Amino acid sequence: MATLEIRDLHVSVDTENGPKEILRGVDLTIAGGQTHAIMGPNGSGKSTLAYSIAGHPKYNVTGGTVTLDGEDVLDMAVDERARAGLFLAMQYPVEVPGVSVSNFLRTAKTAIDGEAPKLRTWVKDVNKALADLDMDADFGNRNVNEGFSGGEKKRHEIVQLELLDPKIAILDETDSGLDIDALKIVSTGVNRFAEKGDKGVLLITHYTRILRYIKPDFVHVFVDGKVAEEGGAELADELEANGYERFLKAAAK
C-alpha cells in the first residue's frame, strides 16, 4: 500500500527582494486508503505544497524530505514522479493547442506504464471514463482544455485520474469554479478512485462544500506555511462555522 511521507519540508520562491520562504516545516503522511483534506486561508502555502511535491521548477526546496514508498521524490524529475505514482490535478489546467484529448491521454498512459495500451481496450476505457464524468465521447477529439469551460477542465482532470490510476492523487482546488452539478460529478469520480482501497488522496480546498460529497479521514489546517492543527471531518465543520480566526491569531503570536 502506497505511502507519501513529507517531513520538515521547507520551500521558498525567488522574488525581486530575494528568496521568500513559503513552507516552513510541513509534516504530513498520506497512506493508501486515506483521504486527507488541507484547508487554509489564501497565501497559506496549500498550492505551494502541491506543486513542490509535483516538481514545479518555480519552487525551491530548501529543507526536508518527501518520499513515496521510501523512494526520494525530490531526487526525481517531474516525469519520474508521475511514473512513480504521483498525480496532480491542477487548480488552473493549461491549454495545449493542437493536441487532442484522446492523443494526450494515450500518450500519458504509455509514458506512465512504459508501453502503449491495447487500442480496443483503451477506447472502451476512455469512453467509460468520459461517460462517468458526464462527458460525450466526441470530447476526445477536442484540443486539451482549449475552449473548455471551468467545469470541463476539472472533469477532464478526473478523467486523467481514472485512466492513469496513480498511487497518490493531489487535487489542488478541484472544486473551484464548479457549479453544484459539476461538483457532484467530480466528487463521485474522486470517490470512485479512493474506494479502490489502496489509493491516497490529498484534497486541497478553501471550502467545505466539496467535503459534503468527499468525506475526509483527516483534515489539516494550513496557516503561514505549516500545519496549524489536525483532526477529523469535524474540524472542517468548525472551520465552516468559525473560519480561520483562532488559527491566524495563534500564528501571529
Side-chain angles (χ1 to χ4, degrees), residues 90-104:
M90 294 183 287
Q91 183 178 356
Y92 302 110
V94 298
E95 296 183 3
V96 188
V99 178
S100 71
V101 168
S102 58
N103 284 339
F104 170 77

Side-chain angles (χ1 to χ4, degrees), residues 3-208:
T3 302
L4 179 68
E5 287 192 271
I6 302 163
R7 291 289 174 266
D8 196 28
L9 186 64
H10 291 254
V11 174
S12 66
V13 296
D14 294 326
T15 71
E16 293 180 355
N17 300 317
K20 178 182 179 181
E21 189 173 39
I22 305 296
L23 300 187
R24 306 168 185 269
V26 175
D27 291 296
L28 193 62
T29 299
I30 300 131
Q34 296 178 349
T35 296
H36 293 248
I38 289 182
M39 303 184 70
N42 285 329
S44 58
K46 303 184 300 300
S47 292
T48 296
L49 175 64
Y51 285 95
S52 298
I53 295 170
H56 195 296
K58 173 183 175 182
Y59 302 99
N60 305 310
V61 176
T62 58
T65 61
V66 180
T67 60
L68 178 61
D69 296 336
E71 297 293 323
D72 185 357
V73 169
L74 300 179
D75 197 40
M76 299 177 186
V78 173
D79 60 310
E80 292 173 329
R81 300 182 197 205
R83 284 196 293 271
L86 292 176
F87 175 88
L88 172 64
M90 294 183 287
Q91 183 178 356
Y92 302 110
V94 298
E95 296 183 3
V96 188
V99 178
S100 71
V101 168
S102 58
N103 284 339
F104 170 77
L105 292 171
R106 193 161 192 261
T107 301
K109 184 66 171 176
T110 301
I112 294 295
D113 291 354
E115 60 180 4
K118 294 180 180 178
L119 192 57
R120 182 179 299 178
T121 304
W122 177 245
V123 170
K124 290 180 180 178
D125 289 344
V126 171
N127 287 341
K128 182 181 184 304
L130 290 171
D132 286 344
L133 272 296
D134 199 25
M135 305 177 86
D136 191 273
D138 289 341
F139 188 84
N141 298 322
R142 297 174 64 182
N143 290 338
V144 174
N145 292 325
E146 193 172 39
F148 289 14
S149 67
E152 286 174 332
K153 289 180 179 180
K154 296 305 177 75
R155 281 184 283 167
H156 178 223
E157 294 282 286
I158 305 306
V159 168
Q160 295 173 47
L161 174 65
E162 295 204 1
L163 292 171
L164 300 181
D165 195 33
K167 295 177 180 178
I168 304 289
I170 303 166
L171 311 177
D172 186 18
E173 297 197 32
T174 297
D175 53 337
S176 65
L178 297 184
D179 61 29
I180 190 64
D181 292 329
L183 180 63
K184 289 179 180 178
I185 291 168
V186 164
S187 298
T188 298
V190 175
N191 287 331
R192 193 162 44 243
F193 172 79
E195 286 165 2
K196 294 180 180 181
D198 59 344
K199 310 295 185 180
V201 175
L202 178 59
L203 176 66
I204 296 169
T205 183
H206 276 300
Y207 308 107
T208 59

